[in-house]
Amino acid sequence: MKKTPLNSELQENIQHIKKKLGESTDVVIREIRIGKEGTFKVGIFYIDGLSDTASLQNFVIETLMIDISISQIENEESPNLNLMKALKDFAMTVGEIKDVANFEDLFTSLLSGDVILLVDGYSEGLIIGNKRWVERGVTEPQSQSVVRGPREGFSENIRINTALIRRKIKDPSLWMESKEIGRLSKTNVTIMYVNGVVDDKIVKELHSRLDRIDIDGILESGDIEEFIQDSQYSPFPTVYNTERPDTVAAALLEGRIAILVDGTPFVLIVPALFVQFFQSSEDYYQRAIMASLIRLLRFFAFGISLLAPALYIAAITFQQEIIPPPLLISLAAQREGVPFPAFIEAVIMEITFEILREAGLRMPRVIGTAMSIVGAFVIGTAAVEAGIISAAMVIVVSITAISSFVSPTYDIAIAGRILRFLFMGIAASFGLYGIMVALIALILHLTSLSSFGVPYMAPLAPYSASGQKDTFIRLPIWKLLSRPKYISKNSVRQKYTAPTSKDKKGAGV
Amino acid sequence: MNKRILFLTILCLILTGCWDRNELNELAITMALGIDKVDDEYVVSAQTVIPGEVSSMKGGPGESPVTLFQAKGATVNDAIRNLAKLSPRTGYFGHLQIVVIGETLAQEGISNTLDYLSRYFEIRSDFYLLIAKETEAGKILNVQTVLERIPANTIFNILHTSQHRMSNTSAVTLSKLIVDLEREGKEGVITGIYIMGDEESGSSKQNVESITPTTQLKMDGIAVFKEDKLVGWLTDEEGIAYNIITNQVKNTLGTLSCPEGGKVTINVDKLTSKLKNTIVDGKPEIKIDIQIFGNIGEIDCEIDVTKKETVKMLEKTYEEQVEKNVNETIQVVQDDFQSDIFGFGAAIHQSNPKEWKKIKSQWGTEFSEIKTTVKVKVNIRHFGTVNNPIQENIKD
């Protein structure tokens, strides 16, 4: 694209900018005169709200109009081009400064919050880095909260976010590459990785996928995610996202790549594997035994949230034999008078629950509490008392709902939520046999997925013995000697020998 | 091609399935079946649960917890199908706990009945079989019971417990009975069930409303089968002996007489027996080795169990008693029933197939004449929480 050069006439430049921006009211244009006799007309442009007005006055306007030793400018022999250099070298008491010669760059900088300085008679201007806007600071992440672990979370500002990661990995091998994506939004997208640990092929692949994106605007990392993920129609996510800098740092150290998008606290991580969605950063801060048990619990809870209603439907409509007689009679007693088949009953309850959950999420927090009371008491209890729904079904749906909240990541819980209905339908028409067939199909699907060339089910399929150390259970940190082999080729992570009994004796005395 | 496969797959999804789908409230959960034969027709009694009455959710008892449907038919299958004329829901036999067979039918032969029970896919083979002693199966299932509200569960649990605690009954499941009946050199047994009290009034709720029910069910004796026909009954004592020989005793009890009057009770907590066979002069002989481990349960006479000789004496007395009981039982079965319920023939078949081939054809008569030697070894291990009888201390 051909760039429009700046005009040397200040007034024409001002007219052009005004016209281009449609005379938007937040554009501030200030014309001042500098020099002994006000020889030079200078135009200062900035967007109100994106620039720091106080420092603009203190360090730009004040210097130009008052502090600047006019004689210095006067003394310059040839005033023409060197005025810009002189201003840059002597007058600007700010850190970041760049030249600009065309309108395209000018607009990008102006609309990013920089201050533009144009001088009459010069077809060149200065971009003065002076961004400052009101933003949310570093606060505790709303998603993925932990009991033990850092409390800081990413914010909407990409610079704060990169800084948060830099603070955790202070090594020159932590590399960053930035791109501007979005024709209109011109969003800064930065990829971060640890050079030497990361698989270069994955970096290359990621670059090519990012470069393919041609869209007017990127507003959240979700927009990027949909463009770069491997499985477009699978319910399972192949890109991980997190609000936690420690999670990102850990992923970078494992050889993964982080994608930071300006304007969102959610950072993407690729490649993302199935088991990763069941891991929480807290797993590594807690003691190994507890962490392992909790991980097992999460997989179990995922199983419940996926299968519980389906198994219940299959058991009470097809395979009554597998229910112990006293339980069968108790269930049969509850179903006396229930007008719907078990499947319809389950669907009604599940949909009711989904409505309640969605309503609770979007609602103001204060009303949210009232919602849950209405949901739990009125719908649950009343439906059972009215004999429309059996009590056992309410129990099954409740345990399913609670289990789906156990997942440390929202995305995998969503996959469970979607597939649950599928399984329920299959259970209602084929019983346990159908559930088994569907499970096999699900496993086939999962093993067919991959994330940036890494098999999605690694280290389970393909099986990796050393990968099992940190999959369903987590061994003590000092036993995790290597990085995941399927992600990083450079797999030596630490050289450590376990504490010997001799060490312990020494420490004891 | 892919579209066609997809289409076929969807067809499979739509056109199959559901055929065996049954909502729980469309099922008549049948916990017990009674099968009788009256005038050449089978009479089937299905004890069906009324779930709302059994469940603890409801307050005081209203109706009876179970109901009994009875239908006749030329075959068992026919009779069961005829139940549909009476019951508003489909009979569901997946959770069958017991099947009671009328004594008359048992005497005529039960192979037809067993064929249906083992052939029908919905019925499992792990329910207990019982013989209605001196009555009809339908009447047994017509008695209300206490503690367990469902009579089928009551009967199931009594049989289970009595086999484990006393070993004078034999909890026989369908699969076990069929194995016994089909095995060469082994005959089957089934425990009998008996109604104590008035048969008619047992059906009403009043029966379980008083502390002592007027009508109760009781396990009584073990029915001996020859092939598929009932040929006689073993008493309780003989029942214990049967279980000892077939190595099915978990716990039992022995009551001994003291030398100077009074009684001592031995609680048996482990008993193993082995059948061995030898050929003596061309004739097979059976040796039964019995090992018993027990504790003293009760002493009602003046003995000093802290002395080694006393314990030896008790052990010896019990050994003799068990030996006598076992020998007498074998005698009764050999003479009166000529049915090899102990599996002597199977033991010979197993260890000496050649010999078995020779005697197989006339095993019915051979069994009655086979010589048996019984060897019993008793070990008394514990005396309970006291040593000598407390009667002694009271005197002091």
Side-chain angles (χ1 to χ4, degrees):
Chain A
M1 199 173 76
K2 204 164 169 279
K3 291 186 172 177
T4 328
L6 289 180
N7 215 305
S8 58
E9 283 287 313
L10 179 64
Q11 277 310 316
E12 281 197 18
N13 282 336
I14 291 175
Q15 285 314 312
H16 186 81
I17 290 170
K18 271 189 177 169
K19 208 180 123 206
K20 268 279 184 187
L21 292 174
E23 311 234 358
S24 297
T25 44
D26 60 342
V27 185
V28 179
I29 301 170
R30 174 89 163 86
E31 283 178 74
I32 55 171
R33 282 174 174 277
I34 58 167
K36 209 176 209 168
E37 281 146 19
T39 340
F40 305 105
K41 274 195 277 181
V42 172
I44 293 169
F45 305 79
Y46 65 93
I47 304 286
D48 195 16
L50 292 184
S51 283
D52 187 354
T53 334
S55 68
L56 176 74
Q57 281 160 6
N58 288 339
F59 304 115
V60 181
I61 301 180
E62 201 181 309
T63 0
L64 284 173
M65 293 174 78
I66 301 161
D67 297 348
I68 191 168
S69 155
I70 307 297
S71 53
Q72 253 176 341
I73 300 175
E74 299 283 297
N75 289 345
E76 293 293 333
E77 288 301 311
S78 63
N80 271 0
L81 262 175
N82 285 344
L83 177 68
M84 295 311 290
K85 194 174 182 306
L87 282 176
K88 214 161 108 182
D89 291 351
F90 300 105
M92 293 293 121
T93 50
V94 289
E96 193 184 337
I97 199 152
K98 272 190 291 185
D99 291 321
V100 65
N102 60 61
F103 278 109
E104 280 71 24
D105 293 348
L106 185 145
F107 281 123
T108 309
S109 301
L110 178 65
L111 297 172
S112 308
D114 291 329
V115 174
I116 313 291
L117 190 139
L118 297 178
V119 183
D120 191 26
Y122 295 87
S123 60
E124 219 176 277
L126 294 178
I127 297 171
I128 302 157
N130 194 33
K131 295 187 188 103
R132 188 196 186 95
W133 53 80
V134 181
E135 64 190 358
R136 202 169 58 94
V138 175
T139 54
E140 193 172 343
Q142 294 290 310
S143 65
Q144 303 174 323
S145 53
V146 293
V147 177
R148 180 176 176 179
R151 295 258 183 266
E152 61 189 12
F154 287 124
S155 82
E156 280 74 11
N157 187 330
I158 194 167
R159 277 291 148 247
I160 295 180
N161 296 349
T162 52
L164 286 171
I165 298 169
R166 269 269 188 238
R167 268 179 49 201
K168 293 196 188 291
I169 305 172
K170 305 171 192 73
D171 194 83
S173 60
L174 177 66
W175 285 8
M176 269 183 228
E177 291 175 45
S178 289
K179 278 178 197 301
E180 219 168 62
I181 300 180
R183 285 195 306 271
L184 300 184
S185 70
K186 300 191 172 43
T187 312
N188 181 353
V189 175
T190 302
I191 67 170
M192 272 181 123
Y193 52 87
V194 178
N195 185 40
V197 175
V198 77
D199 188 344
D200 294 331
K201 272 187 284 180
I202 300 179
V203 179
K204 237 178 106 187
E205 173 64 24
L206 177 61
H207 269 300
S208 79
R209 287 189 195 183
L210 287 174
D211 290 340
R212 276 204 299 264
I213 303 175
D214 183 13
I215 192 174
D216 54 353
I218 296 289
L219 300 177
E220 215 272 340
S221 47
D223 296 339
I224 299 277
E225 177 178 342
E226 294 221 349
F227 277 110
I228 62 169
Q229 68 187 354
D230 290 69
S231 60
Q232 300 297 345
Y233 297 107
S234 169
F236 289 94
T238 46
V239 176
Y240 188 88
N241 68 67
T242 180
E243 261 188 290
R244 302 185 56 83
D246 55 332
T247 306
V248 173
L252 292 177
L253 292 174
E254 276 180 346
R256 296 180 214 263
I257 309 168
I259 304 158
L260 292 85
V261 178
D262 196 19
T264 174
F266 287 93
V267 172
L268 304 180
I269 295 171
V270 290
L273 309 182
F274 181 72
V275 292
Q276 200 180 338
F277 291 92
F278 292 93
Q279 298 172 356
S280 157
S281 63
E282 198 173 0
D283 291 356
Y284 301 92
Y285 310 146
Q286 268 175 346
R287 302 185 64 240
I289 295 173
M290 195 57 207
S292 303
L293 291 174
I294 286 179
R295 251 188 211 177
L296 291 173
L297 184 74
R298 283 190 201 123
F299 282 99
F300 181 63
F302 180 71
I304 290 180
S305 82
L306 187 67
L307 294 177
L311 286 175
Y312 179 71
I313 291 170
I316 71 166
T317 51
F318 287 92
Q319 277 83 16
Q320 290 98 351
E321 299 82 12
I322 65 163
I323 311 174
L327 180 61
L328 181 81
I329 289 166
S330 164
L331 293 176
Q334 291 171 31
R335 279 201 55 78
E336 287 296 324
V338 173
F340 304 111
F343 172 64
I344 302 294
E345 203 187 342
V347 169
I348 290 174
M349 281 314 282
E350 282 291 342
I351 289 181
T352 309
F353 167 71
E354 292 295 335
I355 293 171
L356 280 174
R357 166 198 273 210
E358 207 47 37
L361 277 182
R362 311 284 167 226
M363 227 172 230
R365 292 241 163 101
V366 193
I367 311 175
T369 333
M371 267 300 303
S372 51
I373 294 169
V374 171
F377 286 92
V378 180
I379 299 187
T381 321
V384 172
E385 272 176 15
I388 298 170
I389 303 292
S390 67
M393 186 57 84
V394 174
I395 297 170
V396 170
V397 172
S398 312
I399 188 73
T400 311
I402 294 168
S403 300
S404 73
F405 290 119
V406 172
S407 300
T409 49
Y410 190 53
D411 305 67
I412 201 82
I414 289 174
R417 242 164 104 186
I418 297 167
L419 292 174
R420 184 189 307 150
F421 286 91
L422 193 73
F423 272 99
M424 277 161 59
I426 287 169
S429 35
F430 302 100
L432 287 180
Y433 161 76
I435 292 180
M436 280 322 291
V437 172
L439 267 183
I440 292 169
L442 178 67
I443 289 169
L444 284 178
H445 169 68
L446 280 171
T447 44
S448 76
L449 292 178
S450 69
S451 176
F452 285 82
V454 180
Y456 192 53
M457 291 307 278
L460 303 171
Y463 183 81
S464 138
S466 68
Q468 305 304 316
K469 290 179 181 175
D470 190 12
T471 302
F472 289 118
I473 54 163
R474 174 182 77 77
L475 292 186
I477 299 281
W478 48 266
K479 285 215 167 182
L480 305 175
L481 294 172
S482 59
R483 301 197 174 91
K485 286 202 179 70
Y486 36 90
I487 292 174
S488 173
K489 299 282 171 282
N490 175 3
S491 63
V492 180
R493 179 169 179 242
Q494 58 172 339
K495 286 176 182 136
Y496 182 81
T497 41
T500 62
S501 56
K502 208 175 150 193
D503 295 340
K504 285 174 192 158
K505 263 183 215 154
V509 181
Chain B
M1 190 60 196
N2 268 340
K3 267 189 187 163
R4 184 180 282 181
I5 290 172
L6 191 72
F7 178 70
L8 288 175
T9 318
I10 290 168
L11 269 192
C12 288
L13 281 170
I14 295 166
L15 297 179
T16 67
C18 298
W19 64 271
D20 57 348
R21 196 181 76 96
N22 278 305
E23 292 297 329
L24 273 189
N25 43 5
E26 293 165 358
L27 294 178
I29 302 166
T30 305
M31 303 287 270
L33 267 185
I35 302 169
D36 289 295
K37 201 166 186 186
V38 180
D39 307 332
D40 261 13
E41 269 195 317
Y42 285 96
V43 180
V44 167
S45 319
Q47 195 180 76
T48 304
V49 179
I50 304 171
E53 291 304 316
V54 181
S55 164
S56 53
M57 280 163 68
K58 303 274 163 61
E63 312 164 40
S64 157
V66 290
T67 184
L68 196 69
F69 295 111
Q70 279 187 311
K72 285 183 187 174
T75 60
V76 181
N77 198 351
D78 186 29
I80 282 184
R81 288 283 157 155
N82 283 338
L83 286 174
K85 292 181 189 165
L86 304 165
S87 165
R89 298 179 179 180
T90 326
Y92 172 68
F93 302 101
H95 279 298
L96 208 57
Q97 302 281 307
I98 55 162
V99 168
V100 184
I101 294 167
E103 190 167 5
T104 343
L105 173 60
Q107 281 159 351
E108 283 179 34
I110 56 171
S111 52
N112 291 346
T113 312
L114 295 183
D115 180 82
Y116 173 75
L117 292 176
S118 54
R119 195 178 294 280
Y120 183 37
F121 76 94
E122 199 174 82
I123 299 180
R124 300 196 206 183
S125 56
D126 62 349
F127 55 83
Y128 288 150
L129 283 157
L130 288 144
I131 301 293
K133 195 174 184 183
E134 293 160 25
T135 183
E136 285 165 16
K139 290 191 170 139
I140 297 279
L141 299 183
N142 205 17
V143 176
Q144 293 228 16
T145 58
V146 284
L147 281 180
E148 291 286 346
R149 297 207 62 204
I150 301 167
N153 282 343
T154 311
I155 299 170
F156 182 92
N157 289 337
I158 296 176
L159 184 53
H160 190 79
T161 337
S162 62
Q163 155 103 48
H164 278 258
R165 299 288 302 161
M166 201 44 211
S167 304
N168 52 9
T169 57
S170 183
V172 179
T173 60
L174 176 67
S175 49
K176 189 175 172 227
L177 182 70
I178 290 177
V179 167
D180 280 352
L181 292 182
E182 290 184 345
R183 196 165 165 200
E184 287 181 12
K186 178 94 171 78
E187 302 285 351
V189 295
I190 299 179
T191 302
I193 186 165
Y194 180 73
I195 302 179
M196 295 198 304
D198 180 34
E199 288 184 353
E200 297 307 320
S201 68
S203 172
S204 75
K205 268 206 88 61
Q206 280 86 37
N207 188 38
V208 289
E209 276 172 358
S210 57
I211 291 182
T212 319
T214 46
T215 311
Q216 278 179 297
L217 296 170
K218 184 189 166 202
M219 297 299 139
D220 193 27
I222 294 178
V224 176
F225 280 75
K226 190 173 167 88
E227 282 160 0
D228 71 329
K229 290 182 180 63
L230 191 154
V231 288
W233 293 86
L234 297 181
T235 62
D236 274 2
E237 278 303 304
E238 290 163 349
I240 295 176
Y242 164 78
N243 278 321
I244 290 176
I245 298 167
T246 51
N247 195 15
Q248 294 184 74
V249 176
K250 289 227 163 63
N251 285 292
T252 187
L253 202 118
T255 311
L256 316 175
S257 303
C258 294
E260 298 101 30
K263 300 268 183 195
V264 171
T265 313
I266 311 284
N267 284 335
V268 174
D269 55 13
K270 190 182 173 194
L271 188 149
T272 51
S273 72
K274 274 184 195 143
L275 293 186
K276 282 178 193 159
N277 68 87
T278 44
I279 312 289
V280 181
D281 304 331
K283 288 252 169 191
E285 275 187 20
I286 296 285
K287 265 176 80 183
I288 306 167
D289 261 337
I290 301 165
Q291 272 230 324
I292 300 175
F293 295 92
N295 310 322
I296 290 178
E298 189 181 344
I299 300 173
D300 191 19
C301 61
E302 282 182 40
I303 49 166
D304 184 2
V305 287
T306 52
K307 280 189 187 141
K308 223 175 182 179
E309 304 85 67
T310 322
V311 179
K312 278 262 158 63
M313 183 271 293
L314 286 175
E315 286 177 350
K316 187 131 200 331
T317 322
Y318 191 40
E319 277 166 15
E320 281 163 5
Q321 192 179 316
V322 171
E323 195 181 320
K324 188 165 158 264
N325 184 19
V326 169
N327 275 328
E328 281 174 2
T329 307
I330 294 174
Q331 204 59 50
V332 168
V333 173
Q334 282 181 327
D335 295 352
D336 299 355
F337 310 134
Q338 289 108 38
S339 165
D340 184 6
I341 53 173
F342 309 115
F344 291 162
I348 298 170
H349 186 191
Q350 231 171 29
S351 59
N352 208 338
K354 276 185 196 158
E355 181 63 26
W356 173 247
K357 260 184 198 159
K358 276 190 261 169
I359 55 171
K360 197 170 126 183
S361 48
Q362 62 269 31
W363 179 241
T365 47
E366 284 273 344
F367 169 71
S368 301
E369 287 151 20
I370 197 165
K371 214 179 139 214
T372 53
T373 344
V374 179
K375 227 181 95 189
V376 187
K377 179 87 188 81
V378 174
N379 283 299
I380 293 176
R381 298 193 287 193
H382 304 289
F383 306 141
T385 48
V386 291
N387 285 333
N388 281 330
I390 53 167
Q391 294 93 320
E392 275 179 29
N393 300 337
I394 293 167
K395 276 174 210 157
D396 288 341

